[in-house]
Amino acid sequence: PEDDLVCVLRLWDEAGRLVSENCELFSQPKFMAFAEPAIVWDVAQAGADCRVTLRAGAFAWGVWLDTRTLDCRFGDNGFFLLPNEEKVVLAYGVDAEALRADLTVTSIAELGR
């Protein structure tokens, strides 16, 4: 079975900036053997917005950010994390302290546990 294989495709421009990335699973998500990703995150104020920095100890697919009560819009949502690589997502028009207290981060691996 191919329930533990993924293919990550990245495209950089001539200046070395990441232009696009995508991830393909070799099996249906319900059959994938996702390891516990152990996602850690931090929030920092960036003017009127916040920077949410995420890192996972194992591949994490279907990662999404949400808030329990805050009205917040994220610059990216529904993404993947590769082990030990940082991803920064902007949260628009929110205070860092409030976001830190209200943010939830979930991946497909945590569903059903």
Side-chain angles (χ1 to χ4, degrees):
E2 298 172 331
D3 58 359
D4 61 351
L5 298 176
V6 299
C7 179
V8 176
L9 306 164
R10 288 181 168 164
L11 177 65
W12 289 272
D13 66 12
E14 56 278 346
R17 293 178 298 232
L18 184 63
V19 174
S20 179
E21 68 179 356
N22 199 0
C23 176
E24 292 295 325
L25 305 177
F26 281 81
S27 185
Q28 294 179 33
K30 67 181 177 179
F31 297 125
M32 290 295 292
F34 293 111
E36 180 64 42
I39 299 171
V40 294
W41 53 268
D42 190 31
V43 176
Q45 198 70 47
D49 305 323
C50 288
R51 293 170 49 94
V52 180
T53 303
L54 303 112
R55 183 180 284 271
F59 174 75
W61 190 75
V63 177
W64 69 91
L65 310 178
D66 202 0
T67 56
R68 293 175 192 91
T69 59
L70 281 176
D71 186 16
C72 180
R73 186 172 52 93
F74 297 101
D76 195 1
N77 225 340
F79 48 85
F80 64 92
L81 295 171
L82 293 175
N84 303 312
E85 285 191 12
E86 274 189 2
K87 178 166 183 78
V88 176
V89 176
L90 287 178
Y92 300 106
V94 65
D95 175 71
E97 187 175 325
L99 182 59
R100 197 175 291 112
D102 209 50
L103 182 65
T104 62
V105 178
T106 309
S107 77
I108 293 297
E110 283 96 24
L111 295 182
R113 289 187 181 164

